[in-house]
Amino acid sequence: MDTDDAVALSYGGFALAYVVGELDAGVAFIDRALLLNPNLANAWNVSGWVRVWLGQPEVAIEHLARATRLSPLDPLTNRTRTTIAHAHFFAGRYDEAASWATMTLREWPDYQTALRIAAASYALAGRLPEARSATERLQKLDPALRISNLEDELGPYHQRITSPGTQKVCERPDCPTDR
């Protein structure tokens, strides 16, 4: 790979992180891309995702905001919004996360990544009717989705994605588990 090609480095870094699970190597490639071309919106965008996976939600939000400023009319802006929702979720700001996910779902109502983070955010924000609605929509789109296979659908997070709040919400009899 050309070590001076910012586009190749950013995509290669994202692939290393997402496909191979090599988060540190991936972020190193992406950081090199940003050094070479600080105006490459997509590099800031993929950096946002990898920072979420690394457990750096505040850095992710900064990088995603920069991507949005560089490319305000990006046709994939809903993916950026969904990533921002994830960052707010992992920063413990569940209402803010739900708000960002809702912005995406207004335009892309079947986008499962946004529906998953919306459902979790609503639930942990105590907005159970909205959480139930998002979960029902997810179940219609993906009837095989369960808590036990949810990690197959998520990114390569640096830490396991569990919290006392998620366990509490999913102890209900109608929670989609493998019971």
Side-chain angles (χ1 to χ4, degrees), residues 28-143:
F29 275 53
I30 294 166
D31 286 348
R32 171 89 175 133
L34 292 171
L35 183 67
L36 291 168
N37 185 353
N39 294 316
L40 184 59
N42 191 62
W44 289 105
N45 202 338
V46 296
S47 179
W49 259 125
V50 176
R51 303 300 174 162
V52 168
W53 296 330
L54 282 167
Q56 302 170 356
E58 302 306 333
V59 175
I61 291 167
E62 290 172 21
H63 288 205
L64 294 159
R66 186 151 180 188
T68 301
R69 283 192 305 275
L70 289 168
S71 185
L73 301 177
D74 191 322
L76 299 177
T77 198
N78 285 316
R79 289 187 181 169
T80 304
R81 289 177 180 153
T82 302
T83 311
I84 293 170
H86 280 80
H88 282 293
F89 179 87
F90 287 108
R93 294 185 293 268
Y94 306 120
D95 280 314
E96 187 72 14
S99 175
W100 282 95
T102 299
M103 282 188 259
T104 294
L105 292 169
R106 279 190 205 114
E107 294 181 35
W108 292 357
D110 293 342
Y111 187 39
Q112 292 182 41
T113 305
L115 277 167
R116 286 189 295 269
I117 199 64
S121 299
Y122 291 140
L124 293 179
R127 297 162 59 179
L128 296 183
E130 292 163 288
R132 193 170 297 114
S133 176
T135 302
E136 288 170 0
R137 181 85 185 128
L138 270 170
Q139 287 285 275
K140 287 180 184 170
L141 294 169
D142 184 0

Side-chain angles (χ1 to χ4, degrees), residues 11 13 22-23 32 43 45 47 74 111 125 144 148 157 161-162 166:
Y11 282 115
E22 293 288 339
L23 300 178
R32 171 89 175 133
N45 202 338
S47 179
D74 191 322
Y111 187 39
S148 63
Y157 289 89
I161 309 171
T162 57
T166 53

Side-chain angles (χ1 to χ4, degrees), residues 137-155:
R137 181 85 185 128
L138 270 170
Q139 287 285 275
K140 287 180 184 170
L141 294 169
D142 184 0
L145 184 64
R146 298 286 181 270
I147 297 299
S148 63
N149 66 9
L150 184 59
E151 284 191 39
D152 297 341
E153 300 296 325
L154 304 176

Side-chain angles (χ1 to χ4, degrees), residues 3-32:
T3 59
D4 290 329
D5 183 339
V7 173
L9 286 165
S10 64
Y11 282 115
F14 185 75
L16 273 172
Y18 183 68
V19 177
V20 184
E22 293 288 339
L23 300 178
D24 294 330
V27 84
F29 275 53
I30 294 166
D31 286 348
R32 171 89 175 133

Side-chain angles (χ1 to χ4, degrees), residues 128 132 135-136 139 169-177 179:
L128 296 183
R132 193 170 297 114
T135 302
E136 288 170 0
Q139 287 285 275
V169 170
C170 291
E171 288 175 356
R172 297 186 5 239
D174 60 339
C175 185
T177 65
R179 292 184 227 162

